[in-house]
Every structure is written in structure tokens, then in C-alpha cells.
Amino acid sequence: MNISNDQELKNALNSLSREQQRLLGARFTQSVCEQVDNPSLMSALKVALISNSTDQELKDAFKVAKSIATKTYTACGRDADWGLQAEHFIAAACAAALTPDALITENYNAAWKAAIQSRMAKNCLMIESDSGELENEADRQYRLTEKFLGE
């Protein structure tokens, strides 16, 4: 499968099971978290990345990620520390991937939500470092999805 745009990505993500959405959403999150120094968030992400995490581990990790996203939310929307804003979006991406089944609505796709939050985090990190990468995050997500589907 070759994914070259967001519509193809969304179609591919909609074909995934709930667990596959979590695992791929966690990989999207992992793709942008190299500059975050938050051990609690990294622990939650590790749980999201493991296919045999228990329901309790997943619920606890969701609570941690959601708490960090909520705590860092106030940094968004104003001239603030771009690193803190990136941390907010990374935590939101992790929480999206870990969203419990009881909170998922009919049209909710955890991997797509994590993908969008990860893109926002990447933008903040690029602004903070005053850099631009040759490969954009959307393209990276297309390749991650192709690889995931090929496993």
C-alpha cells in the first residue's frame, strides 16, 4: 500500500482495529517525542506502545497523559514556551492513542487524533529550534502507516 495524502491515511486508519489504532497512534506520538523530558509522559507512551498492556495499565497511562495534556493546556494560544506547547500536544497525542473504549464515539479514530496532535507538536518543536526538516510529519506518518500495515 502506498499512502500519499491525508484522505488515504484516514481511509487506512479507519480500517484498523481499536488496538491497532492505539499502537499506531503511539508510534505517531513516539515519532515526535525526542525532545520532551517528562518521565511520566514517556512511561505512559511506553504502555501505549506495548501490544499486551493490561486494561488497568492502559487506563492508568491514559490518566497520566490526559493529566499532563490538561496541565500544559494553558501554555497554548499565547506567546509561550514552544517546548511546553510541544509537550502539551505530545501528551494530547498519547492520550488520544490511549482513549478508553468507554470514551470513544462512533466517528472517533484514536490513530488519526494522535496523528494530528503529533503534527502540532512537531510544528512547535520546529519553531522552538528555528529549524525546518526536509521530511514533514505528515509524510513520516504515511511511511509509518505503510510499515505498520505491512507487518
PDB file of all heavy atoms in Angstrom, residues 104-120:
ATOM      1  N   ILE A 104     -14.952   6.526  23.589  1.00  0.00           N
ATOM      2  CA  ILE A 104     -14.845   6.634  22.136  1.00  0.00           C
ATOM      3  C   ILE A 104     -16.232   6.731  21.509  1.00  0.00           C
ATOM      4  O   ILE A 104     -17.101   5.907  21.770  1.00  0.00           O
ATOM      5  CB  ILE A 104     -14.056   5.442  21.556  1.00  0.00           C
ATOM      6  CG1 ILE A 104     -12.601   5.549  22.012  1.00  0.00           C
ATOM      7  CG2 ILE A 104     -14.154   5.397  20.044  1.00  0.00           C
ATOM      8  CD1 ILE A 104     -11.705   4.465  21.517  1.00  0.00           C
ATOM      9  N   THR A 105     -16.407   7.747  20.691  1.00  0.00           N
ATOM     10  CA  THR A 105     -17.665   7.925  19.962  1.00  0.00           C
ATOM     11  C   THR A 105     -17.576   7.180  18.631  1.00  0.00           C
ATOM     12  O   THR A 105     -16.516   6.702  18.234  1.00  0.00           O
ATOM     13  CB  THR A 105     -17.936   9.413  19.720  1.00  0.00           C
ATOM     14  OG1 THR A 105     -16.863   9.957  18.947  1.00  0.00           O
ATOM     15  CG2 THR A 105     -18.076  10.173  21.031  1.00  0.00           C
ATOM     16  N   GLU A 106     -18.677   7.145  17.932  1.00  0.00           N
ATOM     17  CA  GLU A 106     -18.775   6.374  16.690  1.00  0.00           C
ATOM     18  C   GLU A 106     -17.721   6.777  15.650  1.00  0.00           C
ATOM     19  O   GLU A 106     -17.140   5.938  14.983  1.00  0.00           O
ATOM     20  CB  GLU A 106     -20.168   6.539  16.101  1.00  0.00           C
ATOM     21  CG  GLU A 106     -20.388   5.754  14.832  1.00  0.00           C
ATOM     22  CD  GLU A 106     -21.785   5.948  14.269  1.00  0.00           C
ATOM     23  OE1 GLU A 106     -22.682   6.396  15.008  1.00  0.00           O
ATOM     24  OE2 GLU A 106     -21.966   5.663  13.078  1.00  0.00           O
ATOM     25  N   ASN A 107     -17.481   8.064  15.486  1.00  0.00           N
ATOM     26  CA  ASN A 107     -16.561   8.536  14.447  1.00  0.00           C
ATOM     27  C   ASN A 107     -15.154   8.823  14.947  1.00  0.00           C
ATOM     28  O   ASN A 107     -14.343   9.385  14.219  1.00  0.00           O
ATOM     29  CB  ASN A 107     -17.128   9.794  13.785  1.00  0.00           C
ATOM     30  CG  ASN A 107     -18.397   9.493  13.030  1.00  0.00           C
ATOM     31  OD1 ASN A 107     -18.526   8.451  12.398  1.00  0.00           O
ATOM     32  ND2 ASN A 107     -19.365  10.389  13.103  1.00  0.00           N
ATOM     33  N   TYR A 108     -14.848   8.457  16.186  1.00  0.00           N
ATOM     34  CA  TYR A 108     -13.531   8.730  16.763  1.00  0.00           C
ATOM     35  C   TYR A 108     -12.514   7.718  16.264  1.00  0.00           C
ATOM     36  O   TYR A 108     -12.748   6.513  16.317  1.00  0.00           O
ATOM     37  CB  TYR A 108     -13.619   8.669  18.290  1.00  0.00           C
ATOM     38  CG  TYR A 108     -12.349   9.088  18.998  1.00  0.00           C
ATOM     39  CD1 TYR A 108     -12.113  10.416  19.282  1.00  0.00           C
ATOM     40  CD2 TYR A 108     -11.392   8.154  19.373  1.00  0.00           C
ATOM     41  CE1 TYR A 108     -10.962  10.822  19.942  1.00  0.00           C
ATOM     42  CE2 TYR A 108     -10.237   8.548  20.035  1.00  0.00           C
ATOM     43  CZ  TYR A 108     -10.031   9.878  20.315  1.00  0.00           C
ATOM     44  OH  TYR A 108      -8.894  10.273  20.954  1.00  0.00           O
ATOM     45  N   ASN A 109     -11.381   8.210  15.793  1.00  0.00           N
ATOM     46  CA  ASN A 109     -10.291   7.334  15.398  1.00  0.00           C
ATOM     47  C   ASN A 109      -9.060   7.771  16.180  1.00  0.00           C
ATOM     48  O   ASN A 109      -8.531   8.869  15.959  1.00  0.00           O
ATOM     49  CB  ASN A 109     -10.035   7.408  13.888  1.00  0.00           C
ATOM     50  CG  ASN A 109      -9.000   6.391  13.444  1.00  0.00           C
ATOM     51  OD1 ASN A 109      -7.835   6.479  13.834  1.00  0.00           O
ATOM     52  ND2 ASN A 109      -9.426   5.436  12.643  1.00  0.00           N
ATOM     53  N   ALA A 110      -8.621   6.936  17.104  1.00  0.00           N
ATOM     54  CA  ALA A 110      -7.519   7.276  18.003  1.00  0.00           C
ATOM     55  C   ALA A 110      -6.232   7.566  17.244  1.00  0.00           C
ATOM     56  O   ALA A 110      -5.484   8.478  17.596  1.00  0.00           O
ATOM     57  CB  ALA A 110      -7.305   6.143  19.010  1.00  0.00           C
ATOM     58  N   ALA A 111      -5.954   6.795  16.208  1.00  0.00           N
ATOM     59  CA  ALA A 111      -4.715   6.998  15.450  1.00  0.00           C
ATOM     60  C   ALA A 111      -4.744   8.341  14.706  1.00  0.00           C
ATOM     61  O   ALA A 111      -3.733   9.053  14.671  1.00  0.00           O
ATOM     62  CB  ALA A 111      -4.498   5.851  14.472  1.00  0.00           C
ATOM     63  N   TRP A 112      -5.881   8.698  14.134  1.00  0.00           N
ATOM     64  CA  TRP A 112      -5.984   9.976  13.424  1.00  0.00           C
ATOM     65  C   TRP A 112      -5.819  11.141  14.396  1.00  0.00           C
ATOM     66  O   TRP A 112      -5.099  12.099  14.120  1.00  0.00           O
ATOM     67  CB  TRP A 112      -7.314  10.075  12.681  1.00  0.00           C
ATOM     68  CG  TRP A 112      -7.516  11.406  12.023  1.00  0.00           C
ATOM     69  CD1 TRP A 112      -8.402  12.367  12.367  1.00  0.00           C
ATOM     70  CD2 TRP A 112      -6.782  11.938  10.907  1.00  0.00           C
ATOM     71  NE1 TRP A 112      -8.274  13.465  11.535  1.00  0.00           N
ATOM     72  CE2 TRP A 112      -7.288  13.222  10.631  1.00  0.00           C
ATOM     73  CE3 TRP A 112      -5.742  11.449  10.117  1.00  0.00           C
ATOM     74  CZ2 TRP A 112      -6.797  14.022   9.602  1.00  0.00           C
ATOM     75  CZ3 TRP A 112      -5.253  12.257   9.085  1.00  0.00           C
ATOM     76  CH2 TRP A 112      -5.779  13.510   8.840  1.00  0.00           C
ATOM     77  N   LYS A 113      -6.482  11.056  15.533  1.00  0.00           N
ATOM     78  CA  LYS A 113      -6.370  12.118  16.540  1.00  0.00           C
ATOM     79  C   LYS A 113      -4.921  12.248  17.006  1.00  0.00           C
ATOM     80  O   LYS A 113      -4.393  13.360  17.122  1.00  0.00           O
ATOM     81  CB  LYS A 113      -7.294  11.797  17.719  1.00  0.00           C
ATOM     82  CG  LYS A 113      -7.308  12.823  18.788  1.00  0.00           C
ATOM     83  CD  LYS A 113      -8.187  13.977  18.437  1.00  0.00           C
ATOM     84  CE  LYS A 113      -8.387  14.840  19.679  1.00  0.00           C
ATOM     85  NZ  LYS A 113      -9.134  16.024  19.410  1.00  0.00           N
ATOM     86  N   ALA A 114      -4.251  11.123  17.240  1.00  0.00           N
ATOM     87  CA  ALA A 114      -2.844  11.148  17.643  1.00  0.00           C
ATOM     88  C   ALA A 114      -1.970  11.727  16.531  1.00  0.00           C
ATOM     89  O   ALA A 114      -1.012  12.461  16.794  1.00  0.00           O
ATOM     90  CB  ALA A 114      -2.366   9.744  18.025  1.00  0.00           C
ATOM     91  N   ALA A 115      -2.302  11.417  15.291  1.00  0.00           N
ATOM     92  CA  ALA A 115      -1.535  11.942  14.155  1.00  0.00           C
ATOM     93  C   ALA A 115      -1.596  13.470  14.112  1.00  0.00           C
ATOM     94  O   ALA A 115      -0.565  14.141  13.965  1.00  0.00           O
ATOM     95  CB  ALA A 115      -2.066  11.357  12.841  1.00  0.00           C
ATOM     96  N   ILE A 116      -2.781  14.019  14.261  1.00  0.00           N
ATOM     97  CA  ILE A 116      -2.949  15.473  14.190  1.00  0.00           C
ATOM     98  C   ILE A 116      -2.254  16.158  15.360  1.00  0.00           C
ATOM     99  O   ILE A 116      -1.561  17.174  15.196  1.00  0.00           O
ATOM    100  CB  ILE A 116      -4.450  15.839  14.137  1.00  0.00           C
ATOM    101  CG1 ILE A 116      -5.080  15.279  12.862  1.00  0.00           C
ATOM    102  CG2 ILE A 116      -4.652  17.337  14.238  1.00  0.00           C
ATOM    103  CD1 ILE A 116      -4.393  15.706  11.569  1.00  0.00           C
ATOM    104  N   GLN A 117      -2.407  15.618  16.562  1.00  0.00           N
ATOM    105  CA  GLN A 117      -1.746  16.197  17.729  1.00  0.00           C
ATOM    106  C   GLN A 117      -0.224  16.124  17.581  1.00  0.00           C
ATOM    107  O   GLN A 117       0.497  17.059  17.953  1.00  0.00           O
ATOM    108  CB  GLN A 117      -2.201  15.487  19.015  1.00  0.00           C
ATOM    109  CG  GLN A 117      -3.673  15.608  19.319  1.00  0.00           C
ATOM    110  CD  GLN A 117      -4.100  17.019  19.699  1.00  0.00           C
ATOM    111  OE1 GLN A 117      -3.295  17.865  20.034  1.00  0.00           O
ATOM    112  NE2 GLN A 117      -5.399  17.273  19.655  1.00  0.00           N
ATOM    113  N   SER A 118       0.269  15.031  17.014  1.00  0.00           N
ATOM    114  CA  SER A 118       1.711  14.882  16.787  1.00  0.00           C
ATOM    115  C   SER A 118       2.231  15.911  15.793  1.00  0.00           C
ATOM    116  O   SER A 118       3.332  16.442  15.949  1.00  0.00           O
ATOM    117  CB  SER A 118       2.031  13.465  16.292  1.00  0.00           C
ATOM    118  OG  SER A 118       1.725  12.517  17.285  1.00  0.00           O
ATOM    119  N   ARG A 119       1.433  16.193  14.786  1.00  0.00           N
ATOM    120  CA  ARG A 119       1.824  17.226  13.812  1.00  0.00           C
ATOM    121  C   ARG A 119       1.927  18.591  14.485  1.00  0.00           C
ATOM    122  O   ARG A 119       2.846  19.362  14.202  1.00  0.00           O
ATOM    123  CB  ARG A 119       0.830  17.285  12.657  1.00  0.00           C
ATOM    124  CG  ARG A 119       0.872  16.065  11.761  1.00  0.00           C
ATOM    125  CD  ARG A 119      -0.167  16.162  10.676  1.00  0.00           C
ATOM    126  NE  ARG A 119      -0.287  14.897   9.959  1.00  0.00           N
ATOM    127  CZ  ARG A 119      -1.080  14.720   8.910  1.00  0.00           C
ATOM    128  NH1 ARG A 119      -1.808  15.721   8.443  1.00  0.00           N
ATOM    129  NH2 ARG A 119      -1.147  13.544   8.327  1.00  0.00           N
ATOM    130  N   MET A 120       0.991  18.875  15.361  1.00  0.00           N
ATOM    131  CA  MET A 120       1.044  20.142  16.089  1.00  0.00           C
ATOM    132  C   MET A 120       2.294  20.211  16.964  1.00  0.00           C
ATOM    133  O   MET A 120       2.965  21.246  17.020  1.00  0.00           O
ATOM    134  CB  MET A 120      -0.216  20.311  16.951  1.00  0.00           C
ATOM    135  CG  MET A 120      -1.502  20.439  16.151  1.00  0.00           C
ATOM    136  SD  MET A 120      -1.557  21.927  15.147  1.00  0.00           S
ATOM    137  CE  MET A 120      -1.692  23.159  16.415  1.00  0.00           C
TER     138      MET A 120
END
